[in-house]
Amino acid sequence: MYLSTIGRREHAGAASPRKLSAVGANVFALGAVSLVTDVSSEMVTAILPVYLVLGLHLSPAAYGLFDGLYTGATALLRLVGGYVADRVRRRKVVAGVGYALSAVMKLGLLAAGSSAAAIGAVITLDRTGKGLRTAPRDALITLSAPEPLLGRAFGVHRAMDSMGAFAGPLVALGVLAVVGATNPEAFDAVFVVSFCIAAIGVLLLVLFVRDRRTPRTAAAVSPRAALGLLRGSGVRRLLVAACVLGLATVGDGFVYLLLQHKEDVATGWFPLLAVGTNLSYLLLAAPLGALADRVGRLPVVLGGYGALAVVYLLLAGPVTGWPLFALALALYGAFYAATDGVLMALAGPLLPEALRTTGISLVQTAQALAYFTSSVLFGLAWQFWGAEQAIGVAAGAAVVAIGVTFAVLTPRKVTA
């Protein structure tokens, strides 16, 4: 057999890809929840690097640990959330718990003050919420759209998600402008507004998202069945690729800090760096998702990581000024548009419906753990080698990851 999701479209008789409505109303509802939630989360994400490094004076190595915590430290909880969601067949409930926990933790940042230990604990709990919600949400998308249109469905969802990611830093910038960027209470105001917006996202989930409960089958969801996913050659290869790609990704905060380091961006304008990335992501997510359905998902994912390698080379190279900002942020957004949802669309059809959430969480966990390792190692490299040499090594790692992923995921016959 072949790895069905890596190739071209199947089931030609499915709904026409010309109609956005073919991806389903539930995908748009989930997109609305993500849009509002990302306004909240990106408000914090946009200021967190400058808050930790310039406000609390953390070293690059210490920031690498925090950055890893922010994305990867609670990766194993993705497995727990995915398995529980499949076991009880209530993916919306599990996702809702995750959204609610992340919302409350915005106030936790307010309570943590300047304590690095307390901030680390709050960040871990916030990411616990993300870990619980991400796999159930993506599984709902795969169950709410026809298989040939999964790339488009994820593209539509990620485009709506990126609308929130685009607006979040602007809202943070507006709050800082009103309160005053140098005011000691400015960051606290951002955290409070972020909580209020996150609460609206939870409400939208409760009111408008519909669960897709798969039929109950005897002993379909069990630890043995979950481990049985690893017996599939396609799943194993996808996990290897997810780990390799995660190790080649250093994280948004580092990219923006390197731009700030190279161009001496003022603190008050720092959130605009994320705006540039998210604008590119917003414009490209749906078109690249549709392209992945037409030409194959693997080429689009590899092209995205090629864009990431170019971003790293730009940060290490001689280009400066507005050309650096325009190229780096546009390509960074293209990287996310080509990889985030497309990788999940690639994974979905490889997994049985009863274990869809568990399988997706397995892929996300592998990538998140690799990302955590990458963030810590990059922070240490910056600390001891310097920014330019560290990002140069990251560029080389991205090129190697592209080659390894191509070799691992290129469709081939699997012997019985």
Side-chain angles (χ1 to χ4, degrees):
M1 59 182 291
Y2 287 89
L3 294 179
S4 61
T5 57
I6 297 172
R8 298 170 180 80
R9 286 175 42 194
E10 300 176 356
H11 310 299
S16 170
R18 296 178 182 275
K19 299 180 180 179
L20 285 177
S21 60
V23 303
N26 218 37
V27 173
F28 284 96
L30 287 162
V33 173
S34 292
L35 188 159
V36 174
T37 301
D38 250 34
V39 173
S40 167
S41 61
E42 290 299 321
M43 287 178 66
V44 174
T45 300
I47 67 168
L48 196 60
V50 70
Y51 176 60
L52 294 175
V53 174
L54 301 183
L56 301 185
H57 307 292
L58 294 186
S59 67
Y63 175 73
L65 179 60
F66 273 91
D67 188 58
L69 283 172
Y70 196 70
T71 301
T74 58
L76 293 177
L77 283 169
R78 295 172 187 253
L79 285 175
V80 175
Y83 177 78
V84 170
D86 281 336
R87 182 76 178 180
V88 302
R89 301 185 303 130
R90 294 183 180 276
R91 298 175 176 90
K92 173 181 172 179
V93 172
V94 176
V97 171
Y99 279 111
L101 180 59
S102 292
V104 172
M105 285 306 105
K106 301 303 186 293
L107 294 181
L109 286 170
L110 183 67
S114 60
S115 170
I119 291 174
V122 170
I123 286 174
T124 300
L125 289 171
D126 178 84
R127 295 299 89 182
T128 297
K130 183 174 178 62
L132 288 174
R133 74 181 186 246
T134 302
R137 180 202 66 199
D138 285 350
L140 280 172
I141 294 173
T142 68
L143 295 170
S144 300
E147 182 179 319
L149 298 184
L150 282 181
R152 184 181 294 270
F154 274 100
V156 168
H157 174 268
R158 295 317 197 250
M160 296 180 72
D161 181 277
S162 61
M163 289 180 191
F166 173 76
L170 293 177
V171 176
L173 190 66
V175 173
L176 291 175
V178 171
V179 180
T182 59
N183 189 322
E185 297 180 353
F187 292 112
D188 291 349
V190 173
F191 299 149
V192 171
V193 174
S194 175
F195 164 74
C196 295
I197 295 174
I200 296 174
V202 175
L203 183 62
L204 289 175
L205 178 78
V206 172
L207 294 178
F208 297 108
V209 172
R210 298 292 175 261
D211 215 339
R212 299 288 182 180
R213 301 186 65 182
T214 51
R216 184 183 296 278
T217 57
V221 181
S222 67
R224 177 177 295 182
L227 289 174
L229 291 172
L230 298 177
R231 289 197 291 268
S233 174
V235 175
R236 289 200 306 270
R237 281 191 263 162
L238 190 60
L239 287 174
V240 171
C243 288
V244 170
L245 295 173
L247 287 171
T249 309
V250 303
D252 298 358
F254 277 123
V255 170
Y256 301 146
L257 285 171
L258 284 164
L259 279 170
Q260 197 272 343
H261 173 77
K262 191 170 183 178
E263 295 295 317
D264 195 25
V265 178
T267 301
W269 296 106
F270 190 86
L272 287 180
L273 299 179
V275 171
T277 296
N278 292 324
L279 177 60
S280 175
Y281 188 1
L282 169 63
L283 295 175
L284 295 175
L288 288 179
L291 179 65
D293 286 335
R294 289 198 301 272
V295 305
R297 291 155 192 165
L298 179 59
V300 174
V301 169
L302 295 181
Y305 277 90
L308 181 65
V310 175
V311 171
Y312 294 164
L313 290 173
L314 286 169
L315 293 173
V319 180
T320 59
W322 71 263
L324 172 64
F325 287 107
L327 288 172
L329 297 179
L331 287 172
Y332 202 43
F335 154 67
Y336 276 117
T339 60
D340 186 17
V342 177
L343 188 61
M344 293 303 101
L346 191 154
L350 284 174
L351 305 164
E353 283 193 9
L355 290 168
R356 183 70 54 84
T357 318
T358 303
I360 287 177
S361 68
L362 191 63
V363 175
Q364 292 173 343
T365 295
Q367 193 168 32
L369 288 174
Y371 177 88
F372 173 72
T373 302
S374 173
S375 291
V376 173
L377 291 178
F378 186 82
L380 291 172
W382 186 350
Q383 182 81 22
F384 294 107
W385 296 347
E388 288 75 16
Q389 187 171 352
I391 198 63
V393 171
V399 173
V400 171
I402 292 170
V404 172
T405 302
F406 176 78
V408 169
L409 293 185
T410 297
R412 68 193 71 179
K413 284 198 173 181
V414 180
T415 58

